Amino acid sequence: MNTSSPRSGPVRSLGTADAVAVGAAAMLGAGVFSVFAPAAEGAGAWLPVAILIAGVLAYCNAVSSARLAARHPESGGAYVYGRERLGDLWGHLAGWAFVVGKTASCAVMALTFAAYLLPGWERPLAAAAVIVLTVVGHRGVRRPPVAVWSLLAVVLATLAAVVAAMLLSGRLAAVAEVDGMGPWPGSFGVLGAAGMVFFAFSGYARVASLGGSVRDPRTTVQRAVTLSIGGVLLLYLVVGTGLLIVLGRERLITSGAPMTDAVLVAGFPWLVPVVAAGAAVACLGALLTLLSDVSRATAVMASRGHLPRPLALRRGRHAVALRAQVLVAAVVIALVLTLDLAAAVSFASFGILVHYTVTNASALRLGPDETRPPLLVPLGGLVGCVVLACSLPLPVVGAGTVVLALGSGLWWLAGRLPSRD
C-alpha cells in the first residue's frame, strides 16, 4: 500500500475489491481448517446453524468496529474505543482480552499448521514454527495488496479442491443416509459451537479499520464488510456442511485435519499434499501477521503503564518491540505444548468475544451525529458476544474469567504505582 508524506496523509489507494480481499484473506486462515471438528462435537447436525449464528455476530461486530474506527482513527481498536466511550478500565479489559485471545489464536494457527503438515509431531513442529516466524517478524511485517491477493488465491484454490472432491465422492447426495449425527444438542451445544466457529471469522476487523486506506471510505468499508463476511459465511456453510456429511459426526469430531480426511474418504488421496500445502500457507501467513499484531498491542499497553513498561521498548531499524515479541512467543509456545486444539480454539474465542463485547458497548455510546449504526446492530452484537462467550466449555469460561480478573488487577495496580513518564 502506497503512502504519501506526512503532510498529505495516506493515499486512499484501495478499492472495494481490494478491501474485500483484505477482509477475506484475514478470515480465511487457520479457522476454516480447524474449527469445524470441535464445533461439530457440540452442534452435531446443527453445525450449519452454528456457522450462521457466528456469521451474523461477526457482521454486527464489524459494523460497530467500522463506525467507531471512523470516529477514533488512532490504532488500538477497542482498547481506544472502550477508554474513550466507557472509561479506562473497560479500555484496558478490551486490550487485555485482545492480547489473551489473539495469543491463544497464535497457538491455534501453529497447531493447525503442524496437524496438516506432520501429524503426530504437532507440538514440536508448532513450537518450531513460532520460533522461526518470531525471528522473521523481528524485521517487521508488511502485507502489500499483491501478497493479500496471492494468499487468498491459494486458500480459495485449496478449499475449492476439497469441495470438488466431496462433491465428486457422491456422499453429499446421500444426506439422508448419513447417521451418527445425534439428536438436537440443546441450546448450549449449538451456541457453544457458534462461539468456536466465531474464531474463524475474527479477521474481519482488518476490513473494518481500512477507512484511511480506501477510496470513498463511507461506502467502501460498509460494502466491503458485507461482501467479505457474506462470502466467507457462504463458503463456511458449504465446507462445514460438506465435512459433516462426508465424514459423519463421529469421525469429524476426532479428526485433527478434517480437510485431509475428507479428501481421503472421497477417494482422492493425491490431494492430501495439496491440502497440506494450502493449510500451511494459510496458517503461517496468518500466524506471521498475528504474532506482530499481538506484540504491538502488548507494547502499546505497556507504554500506557497497563503492562510492565520494559515491554514497550522498541529497538532496531524497524522499531520492533523485541521484549514484547519474545514474551508473546514464549507464551504461545507454552500453549502449544500444553493445550489441545479444541481448548486453544475455545480460549481464543472467549478472549475475542470479550474484546468485541466492549466494542459493541462502545458503539452504543455513539451519538446520532456520529454515524451511529442502527440500534439492533451493536445491541445484537453485545448480547451475542456475551451469550456465546458464556456458552463455551465451562472450564474455558472459568479460566477466562480468572484471566480477566488478573487483567483487572493489573489495571488497579498500575493506577496506584507512581508514573515514570
Side-chain angles (χ1 to χ4, degrees), residues 48-364:
V49 176
I51 297 172
L52 184 61
I53 293 171
V56 172
L57 180 59
Y59 177 79
C60 293
N61 292 348
V63 171
S64 294
S65 297
R67 301 296 175 88
L68 285 162
R71 301 299 303 176
H72 304 283
E74 62 267 38
S75 62
Y79 180 58
V80 173
Y81 312 150
R83 190 176 67 247
E84 295 294 328
R85 298 284 171 169
L86 303 173
D88 190 64
L89 172 60
W90 294 105
H92 170 76
L93 283 179
W96 177 253
F98 176 88
V99 170
V100 169
K102 294 299 185 178
T103 301
S105 297
C106 290
V108 174
M109 294 169 186
L111 287 170
T112 303
F113 154 73
Y116 278 88
L117 195 67
L118 198 59
W121 294 85
E122 290 91 341
R123 297 187 189 279
L125 183 58
V130 173
I131 294 172
V132 171
L133 292 185
T134 299
V135 173
V136 172
H138 179 57
R139 298 184 58 83
V141 176
R142 289 190 64 206
R143 238 189 197 184
V146 64
V148 173
W149 280 103
S150 300
L151 176 62
L152 182 59
V154 170
V155 177
L156 287 177
T158 303
L159 296 178
V162 173
V163 171
M166 293 191 293
L167 286 171
L168 292 173
S169 72
R171 294 178 68 90
L172 296 184
V175 179
E177 300 177 10
V178 179
D179 56 6
M181 299 297 184
W184 163 247
S187 298
F188 273 102
V190 173
L191 294 174
M196 293 184 182
V197 175
F198 179 77
F199 167 79
F201 284 95
S202 58
Y204 58 77
R206 290 199 178 276
V207 69
S209 61
L210 286 176
S213 305
V214 298
R215 298 185 292 271
D216 191 12
R218 178 165 297 189
T219 58
T220 298
V221 171
Q222 181 63 48
R223 190 181 301 128
V225 165
T226 303
L227 291 175
S228 60
I229 293 180
V232 169
L233 172 59
L234 179 61
L235 181 60
Y236 286 175
L237 285 170
V238 171
V239 173
T241 304
L243 291 174
L244 187 63
I245 295 172
V246 170
L247 296 179
R249 176 180 179 272
E250 295 306 318
R251 180 160 184 174
L252 177 56
I253 65 177
T254 58
S255 175
M259 304 284 187
T260 298
D261 289 343
V263 297
L264 287 173
V265 170
F268 296 90
W270 58 271
L271 278 176
V272 170
V274 175
V275 174
V281 169
C283 295
L284 294 182
L287 179 58
L288 176 61
T289 302
L290 192 56
L291 283 170
S292 176
D293 289 347
V294 177
S295 300
R296 188 160 46 245
T298 301
V300 169
M301 293 185 68
S303 69
R304 295 182 176 274
H306 290 156
L307 291 175
R309 290 189 181 275
L311 294 174
L313 182 63
R314 296 179 181 271
R315 292 179 176 176
R317 181 163 55 94
H318 301 280
V320 172
L322 178 59
R323 293 177 180 176
Q325 278 192 329
V326 171
L327 176 62
V328 169
V331 174
V332 174
I333 290 171
L335 292 178
V336 301
L337 294 178
T338 56
L339 296 182
D340 60 25
L341 187 60
V345 168
S346 299
F347 199 75
S349 294
F350 183 86
I352 298 167
L353 286 165
V354 171
H355 175 80
Y356 283 106
T357 298
V358 177
T359 298
N360 285 291
S362 301
L364 286 171

